Amino acid sequence: MALKKDTKKETTKILEDRWPNLFNYDEPKPVLVGLKEIILKQAKDQEEKALLRRALGHYFRRIKYTYCVINNTHRYDLDGNVSSEITAEEKAYTHNILNKYHKKKNEAKEAKEAKEAKEAKEAKEAKEAKEAKEAKEAKEAKEAKEAKEAKEAKEAKVLSLPKLQSNKKTPAIVIKKKRTIQIPSK
């Protein structure tokens, strides 16, 4: 048997193939206490022992197996026969494991939600800052455009002053933009 990275289900399939009366990945049975050592003694070499150890670890650490210990009354041997009764202490221990699992899962969920809320808040603040910056830039552009238009209008106004009517005899002087004063000649 070659040691390689297998999925948990592929690894536990080894157990199902060797001891089909006891191991079932989809419908687990509580196994006899100390069965792990019995199984590991049957290994031919260290490589097989490591593979079996990993398969047993995957099998026993599943929540489905934990629930099967809580919901059943007896444990089973390698042949799938009823072996011993599950004690109240064992069920209490299993409940404790299950509670720790759910607590850890809830903490992870809360941490994820807090992280998502923080990211949403930061995204909202960034969006508001971007919108404020864009509004400021739009306002500045509008003011610049208005200033440019005012300047152009002022220049156009100066250029469009009415032509002074003058007599060759009477020179005219412009005092203010649209007023002309005639200076009498001597």
Side-chain angles (χ1 to χ4, degrees):
M1 292 184 172
L3 252 177
K4 62 178 184 169
K5 292 283 182 185
D6 295 321
T7 65
K8 292 175 184 179
K9 191 163 185 175
E10 288 172 344
T11 307
T12 55
K13 183 95 172 97
I14 296 164
L15 299 174
E16 290 177 338
D17 291 345
R18 272 184 123 167
W19 298 283
N21 295 330
L22 178 61
F23 294 104
N24 183 329
Y25 193 83
D26 297 320
E27 296 177 25
K29 294 179 186 177
V31 301
L32 181 66
V33 175
L35 191 68
K36 182 178 177 181
E37 288 76 26
I38 295 169
I39 290 174
L40 292 177
K41 284 181 184 176
Q42 293 182 8
K44 297 173 188 159
D45 56 24
Q46 289 299 327
E47 192 174 334
E48 184 180 8
K49 195 175 208 175
L51 184 63
L52 288 172
R53 185 176 286 119
R54 191 169 68 224
L56 290 166
H58 291 318
Y59 192 83
F60 293 139
R61 281 192 300 265
R62 295 179 309 130
I63 292 301
K64 202 168 198 174
Y65 181 80
T66 305
Y67 277 113
C68 97
V69 172
I70 292 171
N71 296 327
N72 283 292
T73 56
H74 291 85
R75 293 185 177 275
Y76 297 85
D77 64 12
L78 276 176
D79 297 324
N81 300 319
V82 173
S83 174
S84 64
E85 193 171 322
I86 299 173
T87 65
E89 293 84 21
E90 291 171 339
K91 285 194 180 209
Y93 176 77
T94 306
H95 271 292
N96 188 27
I97 290 171
L98 194 60
N99 289 338
K100 286 180 182 178
Y101 166 79
H102 286 300
K103 182 180 178 183
K104 187 176 179 181
K105 189 174 179 180
N106 287 337
E107 287 172 354
K109 181 180 176 184
E110 289 170 2
K112 181 181 177 185
E113 288 171 353
K115 181 181 176 186
E116 289 172 350
K118 182 181 176 185
E119 288 172 351
K121 182 181 176 185
E122 289 172 350
K124 181 181 176 185
E125 289 172 352
K127 181 181 177 185
E128 289 172 352
K130 182 180 177 185
E131 288 172 352
K133 181 181 177 185
E134 289 173 351
K136 182 181 176 185
E137 289 173 351
K139 182 181 176 184
E140 289 172 352
K142 182 180 176 184
E143 290 172 353
K145 181 179 176 184
E146 289 173 352
K148 181 180 176 185
E149 288 173 352
K151 182 180 176 185
E152 289 173 353
K154 185 178 179 182
E155 289 173 357
K157 200 173 193 182
V158 169
L159 294 175
S160 67
L161 286 176
K163 290 191 176 181
L164 298 174
Q165 294 182 3
S166 66
N167 251 330
K168 290 190 179 180
K169 296 179 182 176
T170 314
I173 298 177
V174 176
I175 303 278
K176 286 199 174 180
K177 290 184 180 170
K178 289 191 176 180
R179 288 195 212 158
T180 56
I181 300 175
Q182 297 290 331
I183 301 175
S185 28
K186 295 183 187 172

